[in-house]
Amino acid sequence: MKILIVEDEILQAEMLTRMLRTWEHEVVSVDGGQEALDTLERCVPDLILLDVFLPDTTAMELIPQIKALQPDARIITLTGQSS
Protein backbone atom coordinates (compact mmCIF):
# COMPACT_ATOMS: atom_id res chain seq x y z
CA MET A 1 0.00 0.00 0.00
CA LYS A 2 1.23 3.53 -0.82
CA ILE A 3 0.76 5.92 2.09
CA LEU A 4 1.29 9.67 2.16
CA ILE A 5 1.99 11.12 5.60
CA VAL A 6 1.36 14.85 5.98
CA GLU A 7 2.83 15.72 9.37
CA ASP A 8 4.91 18.72 10.46
CA GLU A 9 6.23 17.14 13.67
CA ILE A 10 9.38 15.38 12.48
CA LEU A 11 9.49 12.78 15.27
CA GLN A 12 5.86 11.77 14.67
CA ALA A 13 6.41 11.54 10.92
CA GLU A 14 9.55 9.43 11.40
CA MET A 15 7.82 7.09 13.87
CA LEU A 16 4.85 6.56 11.53
CA THR A 17 7.17 6.05 8.56
CA ARG A 18 9.28 3.45 10.36
CA MET A 19 6.24 1.59 11.66
CA LEU A 20 4.48 1.50 8.30
CA ARG A 21 7.63 0.44 6.45
CA THR A 22 8.10 -2.50 8.84
CA TRP A 23 4.69 -3.63 7.59
CA GLU A 24 6.08 -3.28 4.05
CA HIS A 25 4.06 -0.23 3.00
CA GLU A 26 5.52 2.31 0.61
CA VAL A 27 5.63 5.62 2.50
CA VAL A 28 6.18 9.23 1.45
CA SER A 29 6.26 11.90 4.15
CA VAL A 30 5.81 15.66 3.70
CA ASP A 31 5.51 18.42 6.29
CA GLY A 32 3.04 20.91 4.85
CA GLY A 33 -0.15 21.38 2.91
CA GLN A 34 1.37 22.81 -0.25
CA GLU A 35 3.98 20.07 -0.36
CA ALA A 36 1.18 17.51 0.02
CA LEU A 37 -0.71 19.01 -2.93
CA ASP A 38 2.47 19.06 -5.04
CA THR A 39 3.10 15.41 -4.18
CA LEU A 40 -0.49 14.43 -5.03
CA GLU A 41 -0.05 15.85 -8.53
CA ARG A 42 2.71 13.26 -9.12
CA CYS A 43 1.52 10.19 -7.23
CA VAL A 44 -1.69 8.53 -6.12
CA PRO A 45 -1.44 7.09 -2.61
CA ASP A 46 -3.84 4.46 -1.34
CA LEU A 47 -4.13 6.32 1.96
CA ILE A 48 -3.31 9.79 3.29
CA LEU A 49 -2.53 10.30 6.99
CA LEU A 50 -3.17 14.01 7.48
CA ASP A 51 -2.26 16.10 10.52
CA VAL A 52 -5.13 18.42 11.47
CA PHE A 53 -2.90 21.43 12.20
CA LEU A 54 -0.08 22.21 9.75
CA PRO A 55 2.14 25.31 9.58
CA ASP A 56 0.58 26.54 6.33
CA THR A 57 -3.01 25.26 6.58
CA THR A 58 -5.42 22.96 8.40
CA ALA A 59 -6.83 19.59 7.39
CA MET A 60 -10.29 21.14 7.02
CA GLU A 61 -8.94 23.60 4.43
CA LEU A 62 -6.76 20.99 2.73
CA ILE A 63 -9.25 18.13 2.35
CA PRO A 64 -11.38 19.85 -0.36
CA GLN A 65 -8.20 20.63 -2.31
CA ILE A 66 -7.04 17.02 -2.01
CA LYS A 67 -10.46 15.78 -3.15
CA ALA A 68 -10.34 18.13 -6.15
CA LEU A 69 -7.06 16.50 -7.23
CA GLN A 70 -7.98 12.96 -6.22
CA PRO A 71 -11.72 12.49 -5.62
CA ASP A 72 -11.31 8.90 -4.39
CA ALA A 73 -8.61 9.73 -1.85
CA ARG A 74 -8.91 7.96 1.50
CA ILE A 75 -7.90 10.31 4.31
CA ILE A 76 -7.40 9.75 8.01
CA THR A 77 -6.85 12.89 10.09
CA LEU A 78 -4.50 12.87 13.07
CA THR A 79 -3.66 15.35 15.79
CA GLY A 80 -1.45 15.60 18.82
CA GLN A 81 -3.59 18.41 20.24
CA SER A 82 -5.37 17.53 23.45
CA SER A 83 -8.31 19.89 22.93
Side-chain angles (χ1 to χ4, degrees), residues 18-81:
R18 278 194 311 271
M19 180 181 66
L20 293 167
R21 285 186 177 154
T22 62
W23 293 332
E24 300 183 7
H25 296 294
E26 182 181 330
V27 180
V28 174
S29 180
V30 299
D31 64 3
Q34 186 58 54
E35 191 176 3
L37 294 173
D38 294 344
T39 300
L40 290 170
E41 289 180 4
R42 297 185 309 271
C43 79
V44 179
D46 300 301
L47 177 66
I48 301 168
L49 299 178
L50 176 59
D51 188 5
V52 172
F53 300 105
L54 296 164
D56 59 346
T57 190
T58 66
M60 296 309 124
E61 294 171 346
L62 193 57
I63 289 171
Q65 296 173 64
I66 291 171
K67 289 294 192 172
L69 287 172
Q70 296 187 14
D72 296 329
R74 293 186 213 160
I75 302 168
I76 297 174
T77 56
L78 312 166
T79 187
Q81 300 289 325

